[in-house]
Amino acid sequence: MSQKEEVLRPNTHTISLLVANKPGVLLRICLVFSRRGFNIESLVVSPAFDGRFSRMTITAQGDRKTLDQIIKQCAKLIDVVHAAEHDPESTIEREFALIKVTLKSQDRVEILQLVQHFQGESIDFSGDTLVFHVVGDSEKLNTCVNMLKPFGIVEMVRSGKMVIAKGESST
């Protein structure tokens, strides 16, 4: 999260968990957040480097004191190896989006210029629509979406935030 985004949304947190790759673990983690009244905005789960584990990256909103309790409770769960909040200054955060926009002939050049500006890549180019993907921090994707809204966004899928620690630190 950029400093600008931090000012706009001061109660947004990015939490990373390394968990056993077993059925039911995701449910137990989500219940901890739910019981404390934390709203999960995005959740990314993928296999870790070792297939026995999964990496969860959760973006949630709520106060600091409650977040600290959630992290402690998650860390106590038997299938959780590691749980921590990430500081935006010591991590790299990225999000992936697939966006389908209406493609009218009079708007074609401007839309393609916007896609190029956001370093997106066209995936499907039909007579009436354009599908492309864009990668970046949440602020970049939000700006891209806002600039494309007037042209008509037909559909959009976002991955949620993915995080990795900078340097030699582990995530």
Side-chain angles (χ1 to χ4, degrees):
M1 185 178 338
S2 70
Q3 288 178 347
K4 180 179 178 184
E5 198 174 13
E6 184 78 28
V7 171
L8 297 174
R9 301 178 51 192
N11 289 327
T12 300
H13 309 277
T14 303
I15 300 100
S16 177
L17 297 103
L18 183 63
V19 301
N21 191 3
K22 295 180 181 176
V25 175
L26 175 60
L27 175 62
R28 287 190 290 281
I29 298 292
C30 289
L31 285 173
V32 171
F33 279 79
S34 178
R35 282 193 299 262
R36 293 286 183 167
F38 248 65
N39 180 36
I40 295 177
E41 291 187 347
S42 75
L43 171 66
V44 176
V45 183
S46 61
F49 58 90
D50 180 340
R52 299 174 300 157
F53 302 101
S54 290
R55 168 74 55 201
M56 290 185 184
T57 305
I58 300 171
T59 304
Q61 280 195 290
D63 65 90
R64 161 75 41 216
K65 184 178 177 185
T66 305
L67 173 73
D68 291 340
Q69 288 300 314
I70 288 172
I71 291 172
K72 287 176 187 173
Q73 284 182 321
C74 285
K76 288 180 184 178
L77 294 174
I78 195 160
D79 291 320
V80 175
V81 177
H82 179 73
E85 181 181 15
H86 289 285
D87 174 15
E89 301 301 318
S90 61
T91 58
I92 299 166
E93 298 177 352
R94 292 292 182 269
E95 194 173 339
F96 175 85
L98 289 168
I99 303 170
K100 183 188 296 184
V101 293
T102 304
L103 197 60
K104 297 177 185 150
S105 58
Q106 68 267 21
D107 299 329
R108 192 168 283 168
V109 171
E110 192 172 355
I111 290 172
L112 289 171
Q113 286 175 339
L114 279 170
V115 170
Q116 183 179 19
H117 172 76
F118 287 101
Q119 299 168 336
E121 183 179 330
S122 297
I123 299 169
D124 181 53
F125 199 4
S126 70
D128 297 335
T129 61
L130 168 69
V131 177
F132 69 97
H133 72 78
V134 63
V135 177
D137 60 26
S138 298
E139 186 177 353
K140 175 183 176 179
L141 270 58
N142 291 340
T143 302
C144 178
V145 167
N146 288 334
M147 293 187 80
L148 287 165
K149 277 182 184 176
F151 299 105
I153 295 177
V154 177
E155 206 173 350
M156 177 178 60
V157 181
R158 287 174 74 159
S159 67
K161 197 181 291 186
M162 294 175 277
V163 177
I164 194 163
K166 291 179 180 177
E168 295 181 20
S169 300
S170 60
T171 305

